[in-house]
């Protein structure tokens, strides 16, 4: 297989950046589409990784984050979860799949990613909750007692399903992009 041209990497990364920016911008303006915007942004960032363009993915992530920030000055807080977790997750999965071969290390990688996800959930609850008018623990007495259990057990179960599906989605994106001739 011949090595792809740098211009192809730049073009593929620019297309991924554009789609991710559009998805994130639309998601921040229409509240119902926020989760869909995150997922479409993640799928767009998987495109450069399908050709193993790590730098292209990193630049597409930075570009999409900055452009979505510029287009959504009023809704910048809605972009924080994408910037600190969802946008970086496909790249971490790519490195995990490429460099980790033994099963115990896959479990360790999953544990680290699950703690990262749970930490992001806690960050969003404690730091961004008051900004959105959610007076976290005083409003929900059940959460006051059980917040960490809910986040670490429930969040880990949700993350396990999400992580598995993102691996499957990356495989699908790889199959679609493989058909591109370069």
């Amino acid at each position: 297989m011949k090595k792809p041209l740098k211009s192809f990497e730049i073009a593929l990364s620019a297309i991924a950046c554009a789609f991710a920016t559009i998805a994130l911008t639309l998601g921040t303006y229409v509240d119902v589409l926020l989760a869909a915007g995150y997922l479409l942004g993640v799928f767009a960032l998987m495109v450069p990784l399908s050709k193993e363009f790590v730098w292209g993915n990193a630049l597409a992530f930075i570009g999409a984050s900055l452009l979505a920030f510029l287009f959504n000055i009023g809704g910048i807080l809605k972009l924080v979860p994408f910037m600190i977790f969802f946008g970086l997750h496909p790249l971490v999965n790519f490195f995990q799949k490429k460099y980790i071969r033994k099963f115990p290390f896959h479990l360790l990688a999953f544990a680290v990613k699950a703690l990262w996800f749970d930490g992001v959930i806690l960050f969003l609850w404690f730091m961004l909750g008051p900004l959105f008018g959610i007076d976290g623990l005083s409003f929900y007495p059940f959460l006051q007692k059980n917040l960490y259990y809910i986040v670490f057990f429930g969040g880990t179960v949700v993350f396990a399903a999400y992580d598995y599906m993102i691996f499957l989605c990356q495989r699908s994106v790889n199959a679609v992009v493989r058909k591109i001739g370069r």
Side-chain angles (χ1 to χ4, degrees):
M1 185 172 133
K2 78 179 193 183
K3 185 177 178 185
L5 300 172
K6 275 293 192 195
S7 60
F8 180 66
E9 179 178 359
I10 292 168
L12 200 61
S13 302
I15 291 169
C17 177
F19 277 115
T21 302
I22 290 168
L24 290 172
T25 302
L26 188 61
T28 54
Y29 280 122
V30 183
D31 290 336
V32 177
L33 298 178
L34 185 61
Y38 287 170
L39 285 177
L40 289 174
V42 167
F43 293 156
L45 292 177
M46 287 180 184
V47 172
L49 291 176
S50 65
K51 292 287 189 179
E52 297 189 4
F53 296 150
V54 174
W55 286 109
N57 173 272
L59 291 176
F61 166 71
I62 292 169
S65 298
L66 289 175
L67 287 171
F69 169 75
L70 290 175
F71 293 141
N72 301 300
I73 296 296
I76 185 63
L77 294 175
K78 293 179 182 178
L79 294 172
V80 171
F82 183 82
M83 290 182 198
I84 62 177
F85 179 76
F86 292 104
L88 297 171
H89 185 247
L91 185 61
V92 172
N93 279 355
F94 172 79
F95 285 134
Q96 178 185 351
K97 188 169 181 148
K98 185 170 183 172
Y99 294 114
I100 296 178
R101 298 285 178 228
K102 298 189 180 194
F103 182 72
F105 294 119
H106 277 288
L107 287 178
L108 180 64
F110 173 77
V112 169
K113 291 189 304 184
L115 285 174
W116 178 30
F117 179 76
D118 295 340
V120 168
I121 296 297
L122 287 174
F123 170 78
L124 294 174
W125 183 262
F126 285 117
M127 301 305 245
L128 298 181
L131 294 175
F132 287 118
I134 301 171
D135 187 20
L137 299 177
S138 64
F139 186 69
Y140 305 105
F142 177 76
L143 287 178
Q144 188 172 8
K145 292 181 180 179
N146 302 313
L147 177 70
Y148 295 106
Y149 296 118
I150 292 169
V151 168
F152 287 118
F153 293 120
T156 303
V157 169
V158 168
F159 175 73
Y162 173 77
D163 192 42
Y164 177 71
M165 294 207 198
I166 288 297
F167 272 116
L168 293 179
C169 290
Q170 181 68 56
R171 190 181 315 164
S172 298
V173 169
N174 291 350
V176 169
V177 175
R178 187 177 306 126
K179 295 177 183 177
I180 298 175
R182 301 208 181 230

